[in-house]
């Protein structure tokens, strides 16, 4: 649109030729557009983008040692209206001069701050050096409308003097020693790993050989068993046939034995038992007959003795009559003598009967034969 101007996101639109708020010499527009009256107003653009400035400066330290210092500064125009006005009044026509002026400002601050520090401090405390340079230049940069985002110290050297190298020599020696120790340890570890690898390879080869030998033995065994399977099966079949024939023969022998027992042994045993029973019965019969005969003989003998008893007593009395016997107590004494004769007769009868019975018992046998 004619007369309407819009700045880029990283630019500020500066409109001059009209009234402004406050004491600003011109109107500043950022982030949106504005209408610029032709012929009566003039519009210019100021960059707000990031700019870079490199510094390479020889600086003398507190110890009098010259150091070459290289640094990079990242800066831009401030975002506030006051900073934009200050930068526009100084750099609007020659905006490239912002980098040149910034480099010169930081070079001066670098020389000043490095001059108050030793080489050891500068080398070991680079961040402190950068912070002090930023703090020293911040106010001066703000006056010209610029703000510093970052300062990076790129390099520091003593221009071949050897001071920095000498300063780092002890540390380098210690590092070298540690490196050598680490290398030796690494070599030892590598050698041990190599030896362990060789041992494992040898062990693996041995195990492989053992497994192969076992497999070969199993294969040979299987082949031998397969080769012997036919004869073994035939022999086993023959053995089973012989075993079955043996069992059949044993069963036939057992059956024949049972038949013989039923046909011969059992009848013989029955006949023997019958004969034994008959013999026992005959013996018992003869014993009973002998006892009966003996009993009959004793009865007859007792009868004969009883019949002879008066004669025995009479003979005893005759013997007394021929003897010279004196009776002291008369009839009572005579009765006692008679009773004594009868008692003697009975004793003689008992003695004779006992001897005869004893003689008959010893001479009796079951079959009626006389005792030898």
């Amino acid at each position: 649109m004619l007369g309407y101007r819009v700045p880029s996101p990283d630019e500020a639109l500066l409109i001059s030729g009209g009234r402004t708020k406050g004491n600003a010499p011109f109107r500043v527009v950022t982030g949106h557009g504005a209408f610029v009256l032709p012929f009566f107003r003039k519009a210019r653009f100021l960059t707000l983008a990031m700019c870079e400035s490199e510094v390479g400066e020889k600086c003398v330290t507190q110890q009098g040692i010259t150091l070459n210092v290289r640094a990079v500064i990242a800066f831009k125009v401030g975002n506030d209206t006051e900073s934009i006005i200050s930068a526009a009044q100084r750099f609007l026509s020659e905006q490239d001069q912002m980098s040149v002026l910034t480099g010169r400002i930081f070079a001066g601050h670098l020389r000043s701050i490095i001059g108050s520090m030793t080489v050891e401090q500068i080398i070991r405390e680079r961040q402190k050096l950068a912070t002090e340079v930023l703090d020293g230049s911040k106010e001066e940069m703000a006056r010209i409308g610029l703000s510093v985002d970052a300062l990076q110290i790129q390099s520091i050297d003593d221009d071949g003097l050897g001071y920095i190298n000498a300063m780092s020599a002890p540390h380098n020696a210690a590092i070298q020693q540690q490196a050598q120790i680490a290398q030796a340890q690494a070599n030892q570890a590598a050698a041990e790993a190599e030896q362990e690898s060789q041992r494992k390879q040898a062990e693996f080869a041995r195990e492989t050989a053992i497994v192969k030998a076992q497999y070969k033995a199993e294969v040979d065994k299987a082949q031998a068993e397969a080769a012997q399977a036919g004869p073994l099966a035939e022999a086993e079949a023959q053995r089973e046939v012989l075993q079955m024939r043996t069992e059949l023969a044993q069963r036939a022998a057992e059956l024949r034995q049972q038949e013989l027992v039923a046909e011969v042994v059992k009848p013989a045993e029955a006949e023997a038992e019958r004969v034994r029973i008959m013999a026992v019965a005959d013996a018992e019969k003869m014993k009973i007959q002998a006892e009966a005969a003996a009993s009959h003989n004793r009865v007859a003998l007792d009868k004969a003795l009883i019949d002879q008893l008066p004669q025995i007593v009479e003979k005893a009395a005759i013997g007394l009559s021929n003897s010279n016997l004196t009776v002291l107590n008369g009839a009572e004494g005579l009765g006692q003598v008679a009773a004594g004769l009868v008692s003697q007769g009975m004793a003689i009868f008992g003695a004779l009967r006992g001897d005869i019975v004893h003689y008959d018992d010893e001479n009796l046998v079951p079959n009626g034969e006389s005792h030898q």
Side-chain angles (χ1 to χ4, degrees):
M1 182 177 179
L2 183 62
Y4 192 81
R5 309 297 295 272
V6 179
S8 299
D10 59 349
E11 290 181 336
L13 175 61
L14 308 179
I15 303 173
S16 61
R19 294 181 180 180
T20 60
K21 295 180 180 180
N23 296 324
F26 45 82
R27 181 183 174 190
V28 178
V29 178
T30 58
H32 59 85
F35 181 78
V36 179
L37 184 63
F39 305 109
F40 297 99
R41 303 287 188 271
K42 189 173 183 179
R44 299 287 299 272
F45 293 94
L46 177 67
T47 180
L48 301 179
M50 179 68 66
C51 299
E52 180 181 300
S53 177
E54 293 186 1
V55 177
E57 193 71 20
K58 288 187 177 183
C59 305
V60 180
T61 66
Q62 184 181 10
Q63 300 158 312
I65 298 173
T66 302
L67 299 178
N68 292 325
V69 181
R70 294 183 62 83
V72 176
I73 305 100
F75 68 95
K76 66 182 292 295
V77 176
N79 293 325
D80 59 288
T81 303
E82 183 178 355
S83 297
I84 293 173
I85 293 173
S86 297
Q89 288 177 338
R90 291 171 175 82
F91 306 109
L92 184 59
S93 298
E94 297 179 358
Q95 297 187 27
D96 293 338
Q97 291 298 315
M98 287 190 294
S99 297
V100 177
L101 182 58
T102 300
R104 291 175 180 175
I105 292 172
F106 273 89
H109 287 284
L110 275 174
R111 289 193 299 269
S112 175
I113 294 172
I114 287 176
S116 63
M117 298 175 67
T118 63
V119 177
E120 288 79 7
Q121 290 175 336
I122 295 169
I123 296 300
R124 295 171 183 170
E125 301 177 3
R126 288 193 180 189
Q127 187 60 40
K128 178 181 178 181
L129 172 62
T131 301
E132 290 185 0
V133 172
L134 282 174
D135 293 341
S137 61
K138 184 180 296 183
E139 183 178 354
E140 188 174 353
M141 293 289 288
R143 283 200 300 267
I144 60 177
L146 301 178
S147 64
V148 180
D149 289 339
L151 170 64
Q152 181 67 40
I153 305 296
Q154 288 185 320
S155 65
I156 300 174
D157 64 79
D158 56 4
D159 199 14
L161 183 62
Y163 187 91
I164 296 176
N165 292 333
M167 186 177 64
S168 62
H171 182 69
N172 288 337
I175 294 299
Q176 290 293 333
Q177 182 181 6
Q178 293 178 1
Q180 292 175 359
I181 294 173
Q183 185 63 39
Q185 292 176 349
N187 294 337
Q188 181 179 358
E192 292 177 355
E194 180 66 21
Q195 293 176 0
E196 182 67 19
S197 176
Q198 292 178 358
R199 283 196 297 269
K200 289 184 177 180
Q201 290 177 4
E203 183 178 357
F204 180 76
R206 181 181 64 83
E207 292 178 354
T208 302
I210 292 173
V211 172
K212 287 183 178 179
Q214 292 177 350
Y215 287 164
K216 186 177 183 303
E218 292 178 358
V219 171
D220 294 342
K221 181 180 178 181
Q223 291 177 350
E225 291 177 352
Q228 296 175 359
L232 288 175
E234 184 177 357
E236 181 66 19
Q238 292 178 358
R239 186 185 66 80
E240 292 180 356
V241 171
L242 291 176
Q243 184 177 359
M244 293 179 63
R245 289 180 178 177
T246 303
E247 292 178 356
L248 290 175
Q250 290 178 353
R251 291 179 182 177
E254 292 175 357
L255 181 60
R256 182 57 184 164
Q257 183 179 4
Q258 293 176 359
E259 291 177 352
L260 290 175
V261 169
E263 294 175 357
V264 178
V265 176
K266 292 298 182 181
E269 289 179 353
E271 181 64 21
E273 183 65 18
R274 187 185 66 79
V275 172
R276 187 184 66 79
I277 293 173
M278 293 297 296
V280 171
D282 291 341
E284 188 67 24
K285 177 181 178 182
M286 293 179 66
K287 180 180 179 181
I288 294 172
Q289 290 176 353
E291 289 178 354
S295 176
H296 178 72
N297 291 334
R298 283 195 297 271
V299 171
L301 180 60
D302 290 342
K303 184 176 182 301
L305 289 175
I306 291 171
D307 292 339
Q308 294 295 325
L309 185 58
Q311 296 178 7
I312 293 171
V313 174
E314 182 180 359
K315 294 295 184 181
I318 293 173
L320 288 175
S321 63
N322 293 327
S323 63
N324 188 11
L325 180 64
T326 301
V327 179
L328 297 178
N329 51 355
E332 184 179 355
L334 184 58
Q336 292 177 352
V337 171
L341 290 174
V342 174
S343 298
Q344 289 179 1
M346 292 299 293
I348 292 170
F349 171 75
L352 291 174
R353 183 177 180 276
D355 291 338
I356 293 172
V357 171
H358 179 68
Y359 176 77
D360 291 339
D361 290 339
E362 288 181 352
N363 287 275
L364 287 176
V365 293
N367 293 328
E369 298 178 357
S370 62
H371 183 71
Q372 298 295 328

